[in-house]
Amino acid sequence: MNKRKALGYTQQTLADKLNVSFQAVSKWENGTNYPEMEMLPMIASVLDTSIDSLLGYKPFMVSDYDKRYDTADYYWGITPNNLCYEIMKLRPPIKPLKVLDIGCGEGKDAVFLARNGYIVTAFDLSEAGIEKGKKLAEKWNTHVDFFKADITDFRATKYYDIIFSSGVFHMIKPEIRKEITANLKECTNKNGIHAINVFVEKPFVSEPPDKDANWFRWNSGELFMLYYDWKLHKTEEIIFDCNSGGIPHQHCMDIMIAERVK
Ligand SMILES: C[S@@+](CC[C@H](N)C(=O)[O-])C[C@H]1O[C@@H](n2cnc3c(N)ncnc32)[C@H](O)[C@@H]1O
């Protein structure tokens, strides 16, 4: 269903493309019936996905980040991101505020915010990252509700006051960005804020030498546009030097803080 919606198809559109009734599509989606096996290649093709993915199969995979995090040290250090301080200025924790940290890595920012009195939930695709986050929280005698999830599949069902994400949104393919941000915006309380940064494409900034297969840089300004209906407190674009992978290169990043006003 997520795939169909991401492509902007109604059940009827999909049914027409597959030459079946929309009731058939509806039954597949609510699990009361399943398509014939021989239809799977056609469904996968129409939905621009794989049969594995249709069947919910995900290969067991130790992500590149699992390997990076499999050390005693903290790969990204434990100094919180500057955005955390900006969040604290805009929304000080003088009342219980709920935070969601998306792609929390080893938890440095989630733990920092929890230590400062926020009620923090955080997820990442890397199990190793989450385990280190839990250890860090324990060290500071604080609590973060950590769990493993993939930003591509995750859809918020609870409401948050602050949604934070650093260095992760480039994992979201262009065709599902609108749907994912719409869900996160919807699940934000009035006057809640989103503090997000994302790698963006610039013709004069080449792709990093150690980029992985799931690296989809955003267009410059694309993130800000998705928040056209929110109050923008910060919209900044920076270019910075990086030495990851041992080869000096540059990144361009858009940084945004936006507030849900209505
Ligand atoms: C550059 S790191 C940033 C980590 C953390 N936000 C920080 O700033 O310390 C990117 C993180 O995204 C996570 N990640 C990659 N793909 C993901 C996905 N599909 N869903 C959730 N997290 C993902 C990685 O495991 C990694 O921890």
Side-chain angles (χ1 to χ4, degrees), residues 80-89 109 112-113 118 164:
N81 189 296
N82 280 339
L83 274 177
C84 294
Y85 294 102
E86 297 192 44
I87 288 172
M88 290 186 70
K89 269 191 225 150
D109 303 308
F112 173 77
L113 292 169
Y118 296 89
F164 168 81

Side-chain angles (χ1 to χ4, degrees), residues 7-134:
L7 290 167
Y9 295 164
T10 61
Q11 288 186 337
Q12 185 66 61
T13 323
L14 180 60
D16 291 344
K17 286 179 187 291
L18 296 170
N19 211 12
V20 296
S21 66
F22 82 85
Q23 289 94 338
V25 173
S26 166
K27 282 182 187 167
W28 301 341
E29 289 186 352
N30 64 31
T32 52
N33 202 352
Y34 297 97
E36 298 294 327
M37 188 87 102
E38 56 269 24
M39 285 207 72
L40 293 180
M42 190 173 169
I43 300 174
S45 159
V46 168
L47 291 176
D48 191 23
T49 189
S50 65
I51 294 175
D52 279 354
S53 157
L54 282 181
L55 296 173
Y57 170 75
K58 285 192 182 166
F60 174 75
M61 185 179 77
V62 175
S63 80
D64 182 36
Y65 284 102
D66 279 323
K67 285 185 222 144
R68 292 190 208 185
Y69 296 159
D70 188 19
T71 57
D73 292 341
Y74 277 71
Y75 188 84
W76 307 109
I78 51 168
T79 310
N81 189 296
N82 280 339
L83 274 177
C84 294
Y85 294 102
E86 297 192 44
I87 288 172
M88 290 186 70
K89 269 191 225 150
L90 265 174
R91 293 291 177 272
I94 47 177
K95 59 177 184 175
L97 292 174
K98 289 189 183 151
V99 177
L100 174 67
D101 180 354
I102 298 179
C104 58
E106 300 157 295
K108 64 175 170 39
D109 303 308
V111 169
F112 173 77
L113 292 169
R115 278 172 54 207
N116 281 286
Y118 296 89
I119 302 160
V120 186
T121 302
F123 74 84
D124 197 281
L125 192 58
S126 162
E127 203 129 358
I130 289 169
E131 285 313 308
K132 286 175 88 174
K134 285 182 184 167

